[in-house]
Amino acid sequence: MENSVKIQTVASEIRGTGMCVPERVVSNEHFAAYLETSDEWIRERTGIEQRRWCEKGTSASALAEPACREAISAAGLTVNDIDGIVLGTVTPDNIFPSTACYLQARLGITNGFAFDVNAVCSGFIYALTTADALIRSGQGTNVLVVGVDLYSGIIDPNDRGTCVLFGDGAGAVVLSRKQGESLVDGAFGDHLAQGDVRSISGIYGSELKADGRFADLLCVPMGTANPPTPDSLKRGDHFLQMQGREVFKFAVRSLADVTKSVLDRAGVSVEEVDLFISHQANKRILLSMAKHLGIPEEKVPINVDRYGNTSAATIPIVLAECEREGRIKKGDLLLLSAVGGGFSWGAVLVRW
Ligand code: ACO
């Protein structure tokens, strides 16, 4: 590239992945037994066949711990090597402190930083981008990036439009600092060296987006603006509420737009990407996005059929499964993308 400058700098790469889902399988028949719905409707409209739910009282940090231990071990590290935790969730252990702090204590880590990110289903993309920026600014060497959510506790079991969609799960990656390579800081700068994106492992860049005008289309309305009272509890304000059709339309458009934007800025074509690992909310959203972008379906891994929508956990769970199955190979170029409440959305381009 003309005027490109290669800079010796710090970057980050994913070194290990892990996941954990609860043992309890909840089939579509579970809902058909007490609601006006059917296995056929749920499969056809969402692609979901089953999901996993935790036992009541399970905390997000408890579900995340095994996923993190697996990621740390896959990275060839120990808990003593971890010096930061960035955790995406909207179903925290408590209101405060952060679930990341509870998780840190469970793992026996006492150094570095730990905090939560609230970006709903985009939580992992936001957390990964934040961790990458912290590593590049010298704040950490091996950072756990976690996505965990337990929506079984925040869905209204009598709302057929939402209760069938969600599952519980956790996924984690270890994001590690790498130095001395010619990967250019701020991969989207004018100085991006074209050759780098094709040869060196690491995070090449990301884009985070939000538009709060749509906040009420997907929310749990209880909070400081709407404190719990007998009336608000009776109304179910502590449960997730969603305008499904609106979310669907926005999801397809935003995932396609942010994917294109990240690839354009990196000078990478859709064809060059090996896998598009996208938030697992609904199989039809994934296939519509793929069609929109001209991506062959085999490049879009899908596991929403087995786990439902696990919100911030979907992307790290897909990453862990694809790695286990040998579907991700060293050198592959991955485009991760998600959209969720807020609305918030984003994408990250990664060379494995
Ligand atoms: N079983 C049977 N019928 C149902 C069910 C169900 N489980 N759920 C809704 N219906 C009915 C509706 O009541 C409606 O009936 P009506 O026509 O008599 O009013 C009919 O099905 C059609 O409803 P739509 O909402 O138009 O159905 P649609 O095909 O859009 O599917 C769905 C609904 C699956 C919720 C879809 O809109 C969707 O997946 N939206 C996006 C959801 C999503 O991605 N959410 C998460 C974002 S991530 C996050 O941040 C948490």
Side-chain angles (χ1 to χ4, degrees), residues 31 35-38 41-42 45-46 90 119-122 151 159-166 218 240 242-249 251 279-282 284-285 309 311 339-344:
F31 302 98
L35 281 175
E36 231 179 277
T37 189
S38 64
W41 191 97
I42 300 168
R45 306 309 294 164
T46 71
V90 290
V120 203
C121 295
S122 310
Y151 275 42
D159 176 6
R160 67 177 183 175
T162 55
C163 69
V164 302
L165 303 175
F166 298 97
L218 175 52
L240 178 149
M242 180 176 73
Q243 307 291 324
R245 206 174 299 182
E246 302 311 314
V247 175
F248 190 102
K249 282 189 274 183
H279 174 52
Q280 308 280 309
N282 182 320
R284 289 190 299 131
I285 293 179
N309 178 351
S311 191
V339 56
F343 289 134
S344 60

Side-chain angles (χ1 to χ4, degrees), residues 3-27:
N3 300 328
S4 72
V5 180
K6 283 203 172 188
I7 301 171
Q8 293 293 313
T9 187
V10 175
S12 71
E13 67 176 341
I14 294 176
R15 263 180 80 168
T17 64
M19 62 170 279
C20 180
V21 289
E23 278 180 18
R24 183 179 163 209
V25 175
V26 178
S27 68

Side-chain angles (χ1 to χ4, degrees), residues 119-142:
V120 203
C121 295
S122 310
F124 183 77
I125 294 291
Y126 269 62
L128 188 62
T129 302
T130 305
D132 174 54
L134 286 168
I135 286 174
R136 285 195 283 108
S137 70
Q139 303 267 346
T141 302
N142 297 299

Side-chain angles (χ1 to χ4, degrees), residues 96-343:
F96 75 81
S98 69
T99 298
C101 282
Y102 284 112
L103 177 64
Q104 193 199 36
R106 281 179 181 277
L107 292 168
I109 298 169
T110 52
N111 66 328
F113 54 83
F115 62 94
D116 291 358
V117 169
N118 175 335
V120 203
C121 295
S122 310
F124 183 77
I125 294 291
Y126 269 62
L128 188 62
T129 302
T130 305
D132 174 54
L134 286 168
I135 286 174
R136 285 195 283 108
S137 70
Q139 303 267 346
T141 302
N142 297 299
V143 177
L144 268 175
V145 185
V146 188
V148 56
D149 269 310
L150 289 77
Y151 275 42
S152 59
I154 60 163
I155 44 168
D156 177 350
N158 294 310
D159 176 6
R160 67 177 183 175
T162 55
C163 69
V164 302
L165 303 175
F166 298 97
D168 301 339
V173 304
V174 175
L175 192 69
S176 294
R177 175 187 169 95
K178 55 187 292 191
Q179 202 167 5
E181 309 249 25
S182 57
L183 186 66
V184 174
D185 196 5
F188 290 145
D190 290 340
H191 47 258
L192 173 65
Q194 285 285 300
D196 290 345
V197 82
R198 289 170 182 82
S199 58
I200 299 168
S201 65
I203 290 192
Y204 281 88
S206 71
E207 200 169 310
L208 301 182
K209 309 279 286 181
D211 190 338
R213 288 174 301 170
F214 300 105
D216 293 341
L217 293 184
L218 175 52
C219 64
V220 177
M222 190 162 285
T224 51
N226 179 24
T229 62
D231 277 349
S232 65
L233 287 168
K234 211 161 135 198
R235 278 197 306 272
D237 289 355
H238 53 304
F239 289 133
L240 178 149
Q241 299 178 5
M242 180 176 73
Q243 307 291 324
R245 206 174 299 182
E246 302 311 314
V247 175
F248 190 102
K249 282 189 274 183
F250 187 86
V252 174
R253 204 174 55 239
S254 57
L255 289 172
D257 286 352
V258 79
T259 296
K260 269 299 278 165
S261 177
V262 167
L263 294 181
D264 285 350
R265 288 169 69 185
V268 172
S269 69
V270 165
E271 290 71 33
E272 284 174 276
V273 177
D274 296 290
L275 284 180
F276 292 84
I277 296 186
S278 196
H279 174 52
Q280 308 280 309
N282 182 320
K283 190 175 176 183
R284 289 190 299 131
I285 293 179
L286 291 165
L287 297 183
S288 302
M289 176 203 74
K291 198 169 162 201
H292 217 78
L293 289 166
I295 303 168
E297 284 179 21
E298 58 273 18
K299 283 194 175 185
V300 184
I302 291 178
N303 66 13
V304 70
D305 52 329
R306 286 175 288 129
Y307 303 129
N309 178 351
T310 57
S311 191
T314 61
I315 290 176
I317 288 177
V318 176
L319 280 174
E321 284 201 334
C322 285
E323 212 188 12
R324 279 179 191 174
E325 292 161 8
R327 207 168 160 189
I328 303 178
K329 296 174 293 301
K330 186 92 192 112
D332 277 355
L333 198 53
L334 312 183
L335 191 287
L336 318 180
S337 63
V339 56
F343 289 134

